[in-house]
Amino acid sequence: MNETSEYEIRLANTVAILEKIASEFTPAVFASSLAAEDMVLTDLILRRQLNIGIFSLETGRLHKETLAMLDKIRATYAVDIQLFKPNLAAVEDYVRQHGINAFYDSVDMRKECCRIRKVEPLNRALKGKKAWITGQRRAQSATRTELAVQEDDVAHAMQKFNPLADWSEDDVWHYIRSNNVPYNALHDKGYPSIGCEPCTRAIQPGEDIRAGRWWWENPESKECGLHVVDGKLVRIKAI
Ligand code: SF4
């Protein structure tokens, strides 16, 4: 079996998963970070007009290149991505008590910032849904090597799907280039992984894909805390 046919099989599997979600798990939503993987899923969902909502967490600390993706998506697909923003009072409290960039001070301060700017808005976005979708891939980091395509998200009481779990970085870029999918300009500036501006940096050739995210922390800490309940990491059961 050659490389192209393996890619085609992965693509067909991903389309089948998305169609299954759209028919069996409504209402379902896709959480887009506006990075390359998420543009693959956005393209697959919108071109097929699948019944899956798309939203993004507008943390208030995103790069201008990431925010520009919203206009690029509107221009390409005539669709507005729904934005969920943090509670303003919670952001103001955090900044007043700890400072605007306190996430550099400790893992706890970083997780509290992520809780306010990402976790709480995510919980709002997922309310009342049967399933949610991410663009996470196993090859992205040490914390994702066991990522399953379908997981039982106990914390959110719904199914979580990662339809690109077995895709390689080459697969992602092959899809984007062969389908003229718009992508975040940061990828051409050495950013394989896209997050908030102060917590994301470009990486050098040969560095781990996630090395540019929260680079001052240990690799085991490098997740958004999007599955944290009452301050504890909640494990998600693979299906
Ligand atoms: S990634 Fe950084 S700026 Fe963004 S919510 Fe987390 S700690 Fe805050």
Side-chain angles (χ1 to χ4, degrees):
M1 189 179 297
N2 64 35
E3 203 174 311
T4 303
S5 66
E6 288 179 3
Y7 162 80
E8 296 295 344
I9 290 168
R10 285 192 284 276
L11 175 58
N13 287 341
T14 294
V15 170
I17 292 161
L18 291 172
E19 287 174 343
K20 173 179 149 175
I21 296 167
S23 64
E24 296 176 22
F25 291 89
T26 52
V29 280
F30 164 44
S32 170
S33 70
L34 305 169
E37 287 81 0
D38 296 345
M39 288 313 302
V40 170
L41 290 175
T42 297
D43 191 79
L44 289 169
I45 290 168
L46 294 181
R47 281 195 201 283
R48 285 168 176 74
Q49 301 189 320
L50 297 176
N51 185 19
I52 296 171
I54 305 178
F55 72 89
S56 202
L57 302 177
E58 210 292 63
T59 64
R61 302 299 302 261
L62 300 179
H63 295 81
K64 65 179 186 321
E65 291 89 342
T66 302
L67 292 172
M69 288 307 300
L70 299 169
D71 285 339
K72 286 191 192 177
I73 291 169
R74 185 183 301 126
T76 307
Y77 307 102
V79 165
D80 282 325
I81 302 295
Q82 190 177 13
L83 296 180
F84 284 84
K85 301 184 179 185
N87 178 291
L88 186 58
V91 171
E92 286 176 349
D93 274 357
Y94 178 95
V95 172
R96 189 168 50 244
Q97 286 183 48
H98 311 293
I100 186 111
N101 291 328
F103 37 79
Y104 292 131
D105 295 345
S106 69
V107 171
D108 283 349
M109 277 291 104
R110 197 272 289 170
K111 287 190 172 170
E112 178 61 3
C113 185
C114 283
R115 186 190 69 73
I116 292 168
R117 292 183 185 272
K118 291 181 172 180
V119 178
E120 188 279 326
L122 176 76
N123 289 341
R124 247 187 288 137
L126 297 185
K127 201 160 185 216
K129 304 297 186 294
K130 276 196 183 156
W132 68 298
I133 301 166
T134 81
Q136 292 178 340
R137 295 185 294 109
R138 278 178 212 126
Q140 281 170 324
S141 76
T143 57
R144 295 183 182 172
T145 53
E146 294 181 12
L147 187 73
V149 169
Q150 182 176 354
E151 301 172 314
D152 190 9
D153 184 348
V154 177
H156 294 113
M158 67 182 69
Q159 294 298 293
K160 174 172 175 270
F161 290 90
N162 311 297
L164 303 183
D166 62 351
W167 281 45
S168 67
E169 192 177 354
D170 284 351
D171 289 341
V172 171
W173 287 102
H174 179 69
Y175 183 91
I176 285 176
R177 300 230 149 85
S178 54
N179 292 282
N180 288 322
V181 176
Y183 65 88
N184 194 317
L186 289 173
H187 292 303
D188 290 336
K189 300 176 184 173
Y191 290 77
S193 179
I194 308 288
C196 291
E197 189 273 334
C199 298
T200 313
R201 64 164 171 78
I203 65 168
Q204 299 300 315
E207 273 193 291
D208 185 87
I209 290 174
R210 298 273 293 176
R213 301 293 299 280
W214 305 299
W215 62 92
W216 63 93
E217 294 182 1
N218 291 329
E220 307 81 59
S221 320
K222 288 188 182 183
E223 289 296 347
C224 304
L226 294 182
H227 314 297
V228 170
V229 174
D230 296 334
K232 290 187 184 132
L233 185 67
V234 175
R235 293 212 175 274
I236 291 180
K237 200 169 125 205
I239 292 183

